[in-house]
Amino acid sequence: MANYEDVFKKVVAHAKEYGFVFQSSEIYDGLAAAYDYGPNGVELKNNIKNYWWKSMVNMHENIVGLDASIFMHPTTWKASGHVDAFNDPLIDNKDSKKRYRADVLIEDHIAKIEAKIEKDVTKAAKRFGDAFNKEEFVTTNGRILDRQKQIDAINEKMNTSLSSGDLEGVKTLIEQLDIKCPVSGTNNWTDVRQFNLMFKTQMGATADGSSDLYLRPETAQGIFVNFLNVQKTARMKIPFGIAQIGKAFRNEIVARQFIFRMREFEQMEMQFFVRPGEEMKWYEYWKDFRMKWHQALGMGEENYRFHDHENLAHYANAATDIEFKFPFGFKELEGIHSRTDFDLKAHQEHSGKKLQYFDPELGESYVPYVVETSIGLDRMFLTVLSHSFREEKLENGESRVVLKIPAFLAPIKAAILPLTKKDGMPEKAREVMKMLQLDFNCQYEEKDSIGKRYRRQDAIGTPFCITIDHQTLEDNTVTIRDRDTMKQERVTVDKLHAIIAEKVNIAKYLES
Ligand code: GAP
């Protein structure tokens, strides 16, 4: 088994064991692709939301928030194009009866060729040592150039077929590449069909008086239909943005990789309304801004890359993904899309209401263009969790599992630990807890040996452990242990607030 699979399995097991993520309805054997966030998970999720909201809304005078309902008038989804075009190409293997996304089968095939390139590069780097120049190697080595050519040709065929709706072409490509079902090992495929990803439900008590509704597949449409409400009441001038965080639902054909692809998930989206003709300038601005937001977390610049779309969604004239190197490879974390005036124009036509902006500087009205940033909260959660998971061998021969989560995102900021349960230590510890808990999420723990308690806090990523011991009762000092270095320092109780505040300060992440 490849090592990354081992690591990923460990991350998933860790998420459950330490109260981050549970399978939904687990006592009934779970529901595929639905997950519940436990006590530590919900804290981490809230901290990520806060980081996004502060950066996008609080730090931008021209961006305001919204919390639109999940249920929307059904015409919304006709206008947005989701009823007709929000489809994935689906294919079944006749022997295993397993269902796949046809484009994902092809992408997985490409990923295998990419892995071979990666292997060649690693081998060459070892062989040439310090003299190795990766850029030169990948642009001149014959075998790598051949492999890259193969990838480009497959991508081109797939994109041409998908964008022209040529499903037969997609099937032919799968057959030409001799892609086999991972379960049955055969290439006995059905035809490729389109599958709409929206969940349908009914509103109303009686069958004949009810109307069909969809669970929103993106939060963005709640923003578009409220464009004028927000612009007028918040007195916004173009360019301006509307941001929201909320649930979205997609009936994914193949939901896999834990919380990476779910059927119910959460998005953090911002629609930025601009003058027609200025959208590419803003598209570049938001690409740069969002990449910096990710990189500020210090999870390695080399773990992010842009992936420009060739096969554009029905509403976009330019689109890129910010990809992150998950344990299972580089995958989409966030999308940045230039959505033109497609959505507002479509809602204008279907509702019969004008959705225009009078630009006082130009002295004219127009339907604004839109640049969107859209990130999955659950995927962001997975980047933080998987990147911060470490198994460390210690100098004394023991080992520990530690989550090296950026301190300001950690679920618990400080653990307050009386060394023993007697001699007034618990009472003193509660006093310290009371002093800190108003500003920081703290946890009081008195059970088990101090070593075991340190390990438990390491495993959930708590940046500080504060131990109250005999000396505390004499001179009001405690030991404060750093999660990453495991070093302990003795400080007076009145210094604790400042030490924690400095470490978990969100400001330095927002300034960069
Ligand atoms: N409003 C645009 C939009 O929804 P998208 O690329 O389909 O664009 C945006 O989705 C982001 O939502 C993705 O980059 C991803 O992070 C997240 N996302 C999409 N489908 C998801 C799923 N099934 N499970 C978890 N996150 C998902």
Side-chain angles (χ1 to χ4, degrees):
M1 187 190 299
N3 187 36
Y4 77 86
E5 283 178 349
D6 275 345
V7 173
F8 192 50
K9 269 191 177 167
K10 282 181 186 170
V11 170
V12 175
H14 190 86
K16 181 181 173 194
E17 187 180 348
Y18 287 93
F20 283 89
V21 184
F22 308 125
Q23 175 80 63
S24 160
S25 342
E26 197 190 71
I27 57 167
Y28 293 104
D29 294 333
L31 179 72
Y35 289 91
D36 300 339
Y37 287 82
N40 287 318
V42 74
E43 295 290 344
L44 173 55
K45 215 175 173 195
N46 283 342
N47 294 340
I48 295 172
K49 281 190 212 178
N50 186 41
Y51 177 43
W52 186 84
W53 194 264
K54 273 207 147 52
S55 160
M56 299 296 282
V57 180
N58 301 147
M59 300 293 287
H60 283 97
E61 281 178 34
N62 59 350
I63 299 183
V64 288
L66 180 74
D67 187 8
S69 73
I70 288 172
F71 289 145
M72 298 182 72
H73 193 284
T75 309
T76 307
W77 305 109
K78 186 77 195 145
S80 68
H82 284 82
V83 171
D84 297 319
F86 195 53
N87 301 318
D88 274 345
L90 165 160
I91 192 165
D92 293 296
N93 182 269
K94 290 184 195 163
D95 299 318
S96 67
K97 311 274 184 266
K98 290 276 173 202
R99 181 159 285 183
Y100 299 93
R101 254 177 72 174
D103 55 333
V104 172
L105 279 181
I106 299 169
E107 279 165 8
D108 285 351
H109 183 84
I110 292 174
K112 280 185 193 150
I113 308 176
E114 280 174 340
K116 284 182 188 160
I117 296 181
E118 198 67 21
K119 220 170 165 184
D120 285 345
V121 171
T122 313
K123 260 195 205 159
K126 251 192 204 155
R127 192 157 20 113
F128 294 115
D130 286 346
F132 182 64
N133 179 334
K134 183 176 172 187
E135 183 61 30
E136 193 185 315
F137 183 71
V138 295
T139 48
T140 54
N141 180 277
R143 201 152 65 160
I144 288 189
L145 290 176
D146 274 352
R147 294 199 202 282
Q148 192 55 51
K149 238 193 216 159
Q150 276 178 45
I151 292 175
D152 294 343
I154 298 170
N155 262 328
E156 200 189 318
K157 274 190 193 161
M158 177 172 77
N159 289 327
T160 314
S161 301
L162 285 174
S163 51
S164 62
D166 174 15
L167 299 182
E168 231 176 278
V170 178
K171 185 180 178 189
T172 306
L173 183 58
I174 288 174
E175 286 171 343
Q176 280 171 354
L177 296 172
D178 195 24
I179 294 176
K180 297 204 167 73
C181 165
V183 177
S184 67
T186 70
N187 54 7
N188 191 10
W189 299 108
T190 62
D191 287 341
V192 179
R193 285 160 291 152
Q194 290 290 20
F195 176 78
N196 193 285
L197 297 183
M198 283 197 295
F199 282 103
K200 218 179 200 178
T201 186
Q202 272 96 39
M203 181 178 259
T206 58
D208 49 355
S210 68
S211 55
D212 282 344
L213 288 189
Y214 297 99
L215 297 187
R216 66 181 180 196
E218 61 170 5
T219 61
Q221 298 304 325
I223 294 179
F224 291 128
V225 299
N226 276 297
F227 164 69
L228 273 190
N229 282 339
V230 175
Q231 187 269 320
K232 291 215 160 106
T233 55
R235 305 192 310 136
M236 304 306 285
K237 287 198 175 68
I238 273 179
F240 76 93
I242 306 176
Q244 85 166 320
I245 300 177
K247 289 270 185 168
F249 305 83
R250 295 182 190 177
N251 196 3
E252 298 283 357
I253 297 170
V254 185
R256 58 179 178 176
Q257 280 145 342
F258 192 38
I259 54 172
F260 180 81
R261 195 176 300 287
M262 302 153 89
R263 298 205 168 96
E264 173 183 343
F265 56 100
E266 215 161 338
Q267 290 185 315
M268 305 192 285
E269 297 203 299
M270 192 277 300
Q271 311 297 321
F272 200 68
F273 300 92
V274 304
R275 276 185 190 158
E278 293 193 353
E279 70 274 15
M280 290 323 285
K281 177 180 92 183
W282 287 110
Y283 175 67
E284 292 304 326
Y285 171 86
W286 284 110
K287 268 177 73 172
D288 182 57
F289 186 89
R290 292 301 305 151
M291 185 57 106
K292 285 190 175 132
W293 182 88
H294 287 285
Q295 294 185 339
L297 287 177
M299 300 202 303
E301 294 193 4
E302 69 287 1
N303 291 324
Y304 299 89
R305 69 182 188 194
F306 285 113
H307 174 245
D308 293 335
H309 288 206
E310 285 168 39
N311 185 24
L312 292 171
H314 59 274
Y315 49 72
N317 69 355
T320 196
D321 294 336
I322 294 178
E323 293 188 336
F324 180 76
K325 197 171 182 187
F326 288 95
F328 38 84
F330 271 104
K331 296 275 175 201
E332 175 185 351
L333 167 60
E334 167 157 10
I336 294 149
H337 312 125
S338 170
R339 292 184 77 129
T340 67
D341 56 357
F342 175 89
D343 300 272
L344 287 181
K345 253 196 179 148
H347 288 306
Q348 189 170 259
E349 276 161 25
H350 282 77
S351 67
K353 310 267 162 38
K354 262 195 176 174
L355 293 176
Q356 298 193 357
Y357 171 79
F358 178 75
D359 192 324
E361 278 174 37
L362 297 182
E364 62 180 67
S365 292
Y366 52 78
V367 177
Y369 271 49
V370 172
V371 176
E372 163 186 73
T373 71
S374 173
I375 174 171
L377 175 54
D378 312 87
R379 278 193 197 173
M380 186 60 204
F381 185 102
L382 187 57
T383 65
V384 175
L385 192 69
S386 59
H387 184 268
S388 58
F389 179 86
R390 310 283 158 82
E391 290 176 300
E392 289 183 348
K393 276 255 168 291
L394 305 180
E395 277 171 13
N396 63 5
E398 288 179 13
S399 60
R400 70 163 181 165
V401 173
V402 55
L403 288 186
K404 293 199 167 170
I405 300 180
F408 80 107
L409 295 180
I412 310 286
K413 305 296 191 267
I416 318 291
L417 315 171
L419 187 63
T420 69
K421 280 191 228 168
K422 46 185 202 249
D423 299 337
M425 282 181 234
E427 290 75 10
K428 181 67 189 173
R430 293 263 182 224
E431 226 178 79
V432 173
M433 172 95 177
K434 211 163 183 195
M435 185 186 92
L436 297 174
Q437 73 187 154
L438 197 61
D439 293 320
F440 313 111
N441 196 22
C442 296
Q443 194 170 72
Y444 175 90
E445 260 213 304
E446 58 179 25
K447 198 168 168 284
D448 292 327
S449 72
I450 197 74
K452 267 195 185 159
R453 282 181 273 168
Y454 284 161
R455 289 289 167 275
R456 268 206 299 273
Q457 294 299 330
D458 287 345
I460 62 171
T462 306
F464 293 114
C465 285
I466 295 163
T467 305
I468 286 81
D469 55 17
H470 288 99
Q471 196 177 327
T472 313
L473 307 174
E474 286 161 20
D475 64 5
N476 209 33
T477 62
V478 292
T479 62
I480 180 162
R481 173 185 178 273
D482 181 287
R483 174 195 72 195
D484 299 338
T485 63
M486 292 185 289
K487 291 227 165 75
Q488 296 185 37
E489 209 189 327
R490 189 161 274 282
V491 299
T492 52
V493 166
D494 59 1
K495 294 242 167 65
L496 288 173
H497 193 285
I499 294 173
I500 301 170
E502 218 240 298
K503 180 95 174 179
V504 305
N505 189 0
I506 194 173
K508 62 175 180 252
Y509 297 92
L510 295 169
E511 282 157 4
S512 51

